């Protein structure tokens, strides 16, 4: 049953959508606000044990002995897991590139502070934690590899001895005649930048309950899983189980942002269950564990970049050299974050050629994991900062320089030098609207007045592209195989006309259950209140991925439209049979299956489903009494990358321009955000309230990355951040409520014209803030090129200048 997914809402079988495009109330929220949603720590199973983990205090050391006998003798302790067990029962996790993975507990040596070494299962968490204090671990200390320079130095200690090097991957990409373009440039602007390590901090840390069935050698894991199907595949591989023997039940999550982690905790709890005779074992990661060595650290980067510019402001070339500190291996797929910038390497601009020199390095810091945006936010900061430098050198307004270089509306679909194809957009119109919204002229006037008074006031104008709906091909350059990321759903109509949508993902806060209900209600012409969205466990769910890469709103819409169209075709056959007509004479419109030329003759969705389920004698040959349909959607028209990594990777290209005005306190270095304005274009807004939430949340995390948050390590690779006293997440007092507007250029290739928007403003906010800060510092001849632009860092910059 091949068909074309509708790319416009007016292609739906209704005279006007009642829910799509409306800020309807979220169907998830009554359970969330009433406290009835079952998060993993709310769940308790009969006979359940509790896990605590002893972690390494050393960044690099060989394990010479473990004595857990006293702990095992403690009343209440049921099992102790060590590296010997893991070596016997497990394999290292998959990584990309291959061969840089760890096992769930350290085997033979530890590679970062906080790495799990021994785990205990006991009748309570208290007893398990007490038991940890009775375990003796002997270490032979090794010299730590503290940073990429040390990692790449001749004779450096090796994080993974079997690799023979600390360089995970090093390669260059040349897109176009880069050397000629830089040789012909009238001006080259270049700078070095340092993006310090930041990361996701969801309200809920990772947690799971694992139970190993010793009778049939199968495993059930309940937990806060962001991508349950791939978690199941990974656990099957690392625990040496057939894939159909691992069942993942995903619970609602208190946020994710990519940093939920979970493979190590799951494997540890699973093995403790195996070792304790199959009793369920719960592991709840505490905040200190999360900050020390959880899945929340990302983007530890050193940039050296340059723009080639013509005298009239035309930007013709872009070079980036990136050395990325991945930490102790690639277990968290942090390598992908260095590959994703290929999807929008040259941003919103008609830059003719580009060059990328990428080096991924292992050190003795904690492994890096995904974080919202998955790599482009630092890249955008580098590109946009260089655009501002070029504007200053050419004495051009930064908004004007950007306008001169934007991809024009008539150039879409537009292929960027790094190979991805943008679907649609009107960047100049977005810029015009945000400048109007901010009253840009007035902002510049107030800035001039403030400078005359000796105040440090700056304005940032930054444009970015948000690649949406990822494909595996985007990450092939770091070793991820495949083309096509599936998202499957089943849509079922019951005998009374109620509709159930079974998906493979669970709540994470973005409102995708509501989007699913909106789409199915408009397609089938039923009320949203009659739609239930539920999560299937991995053993019965259709192939799916879930949240990630600004994809799920678009992907689940495509899957539902596909399933609903299958239902429509079946319903038309049934109605045609009972009306003695041909299926082609029947149409679905406004919730009725009716004769096209005599619409007064027809049946409701409920009547058709009721007939199918109760009068099988009236069904046409070949139609089963089952008013259900499933569909697995993938992005259309994706391809394999070439030898320079070029391919059609992300399906959509949303865009935004931010204008922000800041003031730096000369005495404290504190940055105050005076005003913040956003205009974005993510195509059709399936649920405007969801988009609003994603944007504002992205601003909050962007403010954190740009001004406050940093995982600090000392020169010996000891982490200095383990609480929120050290890791400064911005509060409501630091995050402004932004002034927003939007434009809509629907995607011509995505379901209903929607573009991915889940990562939102974090793509733009750090760059906008740093550009504004450097605009404020420009009269002093100073530049801040390191994030976060914290009060201490800015004060030091101002103080040293004085």
């Amino acid at each position: 049953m091949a068909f074309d997914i509708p790319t416009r809402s007016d292609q739906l079988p209704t005279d006007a959508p009642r829910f799509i495009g409306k800020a309807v109330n979220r169907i998830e929220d009554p359970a969330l606000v009433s406290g009835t949603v079952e998060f993993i720590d709310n769940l308790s199973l009969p006979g359940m044990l509790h896990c605590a983990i002893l972690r390494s205090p050393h960044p690099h050391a060989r394990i010479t002995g473990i004595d857990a006998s006293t702990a095992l003798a403690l009343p209440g302790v049921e099992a102790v897991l060590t590296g010997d067990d893991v070596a016997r029962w497990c394999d290292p996790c998959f990584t990309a590139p291959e061969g840089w993975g760890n096992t769930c507990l350290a085997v033979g040596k530890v590679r970062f502070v906080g790495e799990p070494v021994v785990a205990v299962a006991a009748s309570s968490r208290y007893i398990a934690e007490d038991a940890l204090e009775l375990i003796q671990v002997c270490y032979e200390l090794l010299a730590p590899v503290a940073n990429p320079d040390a990692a790449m130095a001749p004779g450096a200690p090796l994080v993974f001895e079997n690799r023979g090097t600390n360089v995970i991957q090093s390669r260059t990409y040349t897109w176009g005649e880069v050397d000629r373009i830089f040789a012909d440039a009238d001006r080259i602007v270049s700078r070095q930048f340092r993006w310090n390590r930041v990361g996701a901090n969801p309200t809920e840390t990772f947690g799971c309950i694992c139970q190993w069935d010793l009778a049939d050698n199968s495993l059930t894991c309940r937990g806060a899983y962001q991508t349950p199907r791939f978690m199941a595949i990974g656990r099957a591989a690392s625990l040496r189980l057939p894939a159909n023997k691992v069942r993942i039940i995903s619970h609602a999550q208190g946020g994710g942002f990519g940093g939920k982690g979970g493979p190590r905790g799951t494997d540890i709890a699973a093995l403790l269950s195996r070792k304790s005779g199959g009793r369920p074992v719960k592991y709840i990661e505490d905040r200190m564990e999360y900050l020390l060595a959880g899945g929340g650290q990302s983007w530890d980067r050193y940039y050296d970049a340059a723009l080639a510019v013509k005298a009239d402001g035309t930007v013709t070339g872009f070079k980036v050299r990136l050395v990325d500190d991945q930490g102790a291996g690639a277990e968290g797929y942090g390598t992908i974050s260095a590959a994703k910038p290929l999807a929008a390497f040259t941003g919103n601009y008609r830059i003719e050629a580009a060059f990328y020199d990428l080096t991924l390095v292992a050190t003795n810091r904690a492994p890096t994991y995904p974080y919202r945006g998955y790599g482009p936010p630092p890249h955008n900061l580098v590109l946009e900062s260089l655009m501002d430098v070029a504007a200053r050198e050419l004495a051009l307004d930064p908004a004007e320089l950007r306008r001169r270089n934007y991809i024009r509306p008539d150039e879409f679909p537009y292929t960027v030098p790094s190979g991805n194809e943008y679907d649609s957009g009107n960047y100049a119109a977005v810029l015009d609207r945000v400048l109007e919204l901010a009253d840009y002229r007035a902002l510049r006037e107030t800035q001039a007045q403030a400078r005359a008074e000796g105040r440090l006031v700056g304005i940032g104008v930054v444009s970015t592209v948000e690649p949406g709906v990822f494909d595996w091909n985007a990450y092939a350059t770091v070793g991820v195989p495949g083309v096509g990321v599936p998202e499957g759903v089943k849509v079922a109509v019951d005998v009374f006309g109620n509709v159930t949508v079974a998906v493979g993902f669970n709540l994470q806060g973005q409102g995708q259950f509501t989007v699913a209900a909106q789409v199915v209600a408009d397609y089938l012409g039923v009320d949203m209140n009659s739609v239930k969205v539920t999560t299937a466990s991995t053993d019965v769910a259709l192939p799916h991925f879930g949240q990630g890469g600004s994809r799920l709103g678009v992907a689940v819409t495509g899957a539902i439209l596909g399933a609903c169209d299958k239902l429509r075709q079946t319903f038309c056959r049934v109605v045609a049979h009972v009306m003695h007509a041909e299926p082609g004479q029947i149409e679905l419109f406004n919730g009725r299956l009716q004769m096209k030329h005599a619409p007064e003759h027809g049946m409701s969705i409920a009547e058709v489903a009721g007939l199918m389920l109760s009068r099988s004698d009236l069904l046409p040959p070949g139609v089963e009494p089952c008013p259900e349909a499933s569909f697995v959607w993938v992005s259309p028209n994706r391809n394999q990358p070439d030898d320079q990594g070029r391919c059609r990777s992300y399906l959509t290209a949303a865009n935004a321009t931010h204008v922000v005005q800041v003031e730096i306190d000369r005495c404290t270095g504190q940055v105050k955000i005076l005003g913040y304005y956003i205009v974005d274009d993510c195509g059709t807004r399936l649920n405007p309230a969801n988009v609003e939430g994603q944007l504002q949340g992205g601003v909050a995390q962007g403010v954190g990355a740009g001004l406050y948050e940093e995982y600090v390590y000392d020169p010996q690779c000891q982490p200095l951040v383990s609480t929120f006293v050290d890791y400064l997440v911005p509060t409501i007092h630091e995050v402004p409520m932004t002034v927003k507007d939007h434009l809509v250029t629907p995607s011509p290739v995505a379901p209903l014209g929607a573009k991915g928007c889940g990562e939102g403003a974090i793509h733009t906010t750090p760059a906008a803030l740093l550009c504004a800060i450097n605009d404020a510092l420009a009269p002093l001849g100073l530049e801040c090129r390191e994030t976060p632009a914290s009060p201490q860092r800015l004060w030091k910059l101002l103080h040293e200048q004085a």
Side-chain angles (χ1 to χ4, degrees):
M1 288 187 178
F3 80 107
D4 295 325
I5 296 285
T7 55
R8 304 192 313 270
S9 59
D10 62 4
Q11 296 171 330
L12 295 174
T14 178
D15 52 4
R18 295 172 298 153
F19 307 109
I20 295 169
K22 309 291 194 306
V24 299
N25 291 333
R26 302 198 326 170
I27 64 174
E28 303 95 328
D29 289 351
L32 287 168
V33 300
S34 62
T36 57
V37 170
E38 188 178 65
F39 295 98
I40 187 60
D41 201 24
N42 301 128
L43 181 63
S44 183
L45 298 179
M48 189 174 75
L49 302 173
H50 298 263
C51 167
I53 297 173
L54 183 66
R55 296 172 180 274
S56 170
H58 306 297
H60 200 193
R62 211 170 303 284
I63 299 171
T64 58
I66 295 176
D67 182 359
S69 56
T70 307
L72 192 57
L74 185 69
V77 172
E78 298 295 332
V80 175
L81 189 74
T82 69
D84 289 343
D85 302 310
V86 170
R88 187 166 63 252
W89 289 333
C90 294
D91 289 321
C93 61
F94 286 148
T95 61
E98 291 184 15
W100 292 89
N102 300 295
T103 47
C104 59
L105 292 180
V107 176
K109 81 173 210 177
V110 294
R111 297 183 171 88
F112 59 96
V113 173
E115 181 167 16
V117 177
V118 183
V120 172
S123 55
S124 74
R125 180 69 177 256
Y126 301 102
I127 293 175
E129 294 283 354
D130 287 346
L132 297 185
E133 298 182 7
L134 303 176
I135 297 171
Q136 301 296 318
V137 181
C138 297
Y139 295 99
E140 174 193 344
L141 300 188
L142 302 172
V145 182
N147 56 57
D149 283 344
M152 294 187 286
L158 296 175
V159 180
F160 292 82
E161 283 89 351
N162 62 319
R163 302 298 310 185
T165 177
N166 291 318
V167 176
I168 296 173
Q169 179 171 307
S170 180
R171 66 166 295 184
T172 59
Y173 308 79
T174 302
W175 303 306
E177 298 182 68
V178 180
D179 291 341
R180 178 186 63 77
I181 283 171
F182 271 78
D184 292 345
D186 295 316
R187 183 182 296 270
I188 295 173
V189 296
S190 63
R191 294 289 190 277
Q192 293 181 331
F193 298 89
R194 173 78 171 105
W195 179 289
N196 284 293
R197 185 176 281 226
V198 295
N201 266 286
T203 304
E204 174 204 43
T205 56
F206 176 73
C208 64
I209 301 174
C210 299
Q211 187 164 19
W212 199 298
D213 187 328
L214 300 181
D216 70 351
N217 198 35
S218 65
L219 176 66
T220 297
C221 306
R222 299 167 172 84
Y225 295 110
Q226 180 168 341
T227 54
R229 181 166 179 261
F230 286 88
M231 183 64 69
I233 294 171
R235 306 290 58 73
S238 63
L239 297 172
R240 301 174 186 168
L241 285 170
N244 64 356
K245 293 285 189 179
V246 179
R247 180 185 184 219
I248 297 284
I249 301 172
S250 178
H251 282 244
Q253 297 152 64
F257 313 113
K260 213 70 172 180
R264 283 193 186 240
T266 301
D267 288 357
I268 290 169
L271 293 173
L272 283 170
S273 173
R274 177 177 180 172
K275 204 168 183 182
S276 59
R279 294 175 66 176
V281 175
K282 174 187 273 190
Y283 169 62
I284 302 296
E285 182 182 48
D286 67 34
R287 184 62 62 180
M288 292 184 70
E289 289 179 298
Y290 182 83
L291 288 167
L292 186 68
Q297 301 190 27
S298 303
W299 312 338
D300 199 339
R301 296 184 169 181
Y302 302 78
Y303 283 102
D304 192 345
L307 283 181
V309 187
K310 293 291 189 182
D312 65 356
T314 302
V315 179
T316 54
F318 183 32
K319 289 182 179 178
V320 177
R321 179 175 185 268
L322 168 61
V323 177
D324 193 323
D325 184 346
Q326 289 286 313
E331 67 178 60
Y333 289 90
T335 51
I336 286 176
S337 69
K340 184 177 174 181
L342 270 66
F345 197 85
T346 44
N348 304 54
Y349 309 115
R350 288 177 284 106
I351 298 176
E352 185 179 340
F355 174 79
Y356 193 25
D357 181 346
L358 171 64
T359 302
L360 306 173
V361 177
T363 68
N364 288 118
R365 295 187 174 199
T368 54
Y369 274 72
Y371 181 31
R372 188 177 193 170
Y374 218 169
H379 180 87
N380 295 341
L381 179 141
V382 170
L383 173 57
E384 291 298 299
S385 294
L386 289 178
M387 291 292 285
D388 267 15
V389 173
R392 274 195 288 276
E393 292 191 6
L394 293 168
L396 284 172
D397 186 279
E400 176 57 26
L401 180 71
R402 286 167 171 80
R403 186 192 306 280
R404 293 184 186 183
N405 287 282
Y406 282 149
I407 299 164
R408 294 185 290 266
D410 60 358
E411 294 177 306
F412 292 97
Y414 185 90
T415 300
V416 295
S418 49
N420 193 27
E421 183 179 89
Y422 295 173
D423 52 350
S424 65
N426 188 339
Y427 304 153
V430 169
L431 176 69
D432 289 340
R433 180 67 192 111
V434 75
L435 295 182
E436 178 186 16
L437 189 70
D439 196 351
Y440 186 60
R441 183 189 298 271
L443 290 184
R444 287 296 181 193
E445 290 173 355
T446 59
Q447 180 191 35
Q449 182 177 350
R451 283 180 172 173
E453 297 168 357
R455 294 160 57 199
L456 300 177
V457 172
I459 299 169
V461 180
V462 162
S463 299
T464 64
V465 166
E466 178 184 359
V469 195
F470 81 93
D471 197 278
W472 294 125
N473 62 3
Y475 314 141
T477 192
V478 292
V480 177
V483 175
V485 182
E487 196 62 47
V489 304
K490 184 178 78 171
V491 177
V493 185
D494 71 19
V495 70
F496 301 110
N498 302 299
V499 182
T500 298
V501 181
V503 299
F505 58 90
N506 210 322
L507 301 180
Q508 204 182 72
Q510 300 98 325
Q512 284 113 354
F513 277 27
T514 299
V515 169
Q518 289 175 269
V519 174
V520 77
D522 267 339
Y523 194 102
L524 296 179
V526 301
D527 193 86
M528 273 187 64
N529 292 326
S530 68
V531 180
K532 176 185 178 182
V533 182
T534 188
T535 302
S537 57
T538 55
D539 55 336
V540 294
L542 293 165
H544 62 278
F545 182 84
Q547 293 93 347
S550 291
R551 69 176 296 275
L552 190 52
V554 176
V556 77
T557 296
I560 288 172
L561 291 174
C564 285
D565 193 74
K566 282 185 174 179
L567 275 176
R568 179 191 64 79
Q569 294 182 50
T570 301
F571 288 173
C572 285
R573 290 181 63 191
V574 171
V575 173
H577 187 71
V578 297
M579 290 188 173
H580 303 287
E582 295 296 322
Q585 296 176 281
I586 307 298
E587 65 178 0
L588 170 65
F589 195 72
N590 286 341
R592 277 172 52 83
L593 281 301
Q594 60 191 27
M595 298 287 288
K596 289 180 180 177
H597 302 298
E600 68 274 18
H601 299 293
M603 300 172 67
S604 69
I605 291 287
E607 289 171 333
V608 179
L611 182 147
M612 292 180 71
L613 291 167
S614 62
R615 290 295 305 273
S616 61
D617 57 310
L618 297 179
L619 296 180
V623 173
E624 301 172 23
C626 181
E628 301 179 358
S630 60
F631 191 85
V632 180
W633 181 87
V634 295
S635 292
N637 197 29
R638 302 303 93 186
N639 61 339
Q640 283 277 15
D642 66 12
D643 62 353
Q644 291 297 303
R646 290 173 290 208
C647 60
R648 292 184 298 277
S649 54
Y650 281 69
L651 181 66
T652 67
N655 73 92
T657 297
H658 293 200
V659 174
V660 57
Q661 186 178 45
V662 305
E663 180 168 4
I664 305 171
D665 188 317
R666 287 177 182 267
C667 297
T668 65
Q670 180 81 33
V671 173
K672 182 178 181 181
I673 299 173
L674 304 177
Y676 204 118
Y677 310 88
I678 297 174
V679 172
D680 79 291
D681 178 0
C682 61
T684 303
R685 298 167 106 78
L686 298 170
N687 185 322
N690 286 355
V691 178
E692 165 75 17
Q694 295 299 99
L695 277 173
Q696 190 62 31
V699 169
Q701 290 175 305
V703 169
L707 300 181
Y708 300 104
E709 298 179 29
E710 179 180 353
Y711 284 97
V712 182
Y713 286 78
D714 76 6
Q716 296 303 307
C717 256
Q718 280 288 343
L720 304 180
V721 169
S722 59
T723 71
F724 281 149
V725 173
D726 315 306
Y727 190 84
L728 301 180
V729 177
T731 71
I732 194 172
H733 301 292
E734 287 81 43
V735 179
M737 181 52 72
T738 54
V739 181
K740 305 181 190 71
D741 199 357
H742 67 275
L743 270 66
V744 176
T745 54
S747 171
V749 295
L752 301 183
K755 301 177 183 179
C757 61
E759 290 162 340
I762 195 171
H763 282 279
T764 321
T765 298
L769 288 169
L770 200 70
C771 286
I773 288 166
N774 284 326
D775 187 47
L777 295 173
L780 305 180
L782 299 177
E783 290 181 356
C784 177
R785 297 195 296 273
E786 184 170 0
T787 62
S790 62
Q792 188 266 351
R793 190 160 279 136
L794 289 178
W795 180 89
K796 189 176 179 182
L797 185 65
L798 292 165
H799 182 72
E800 288 178 347
Q801 174 66 11

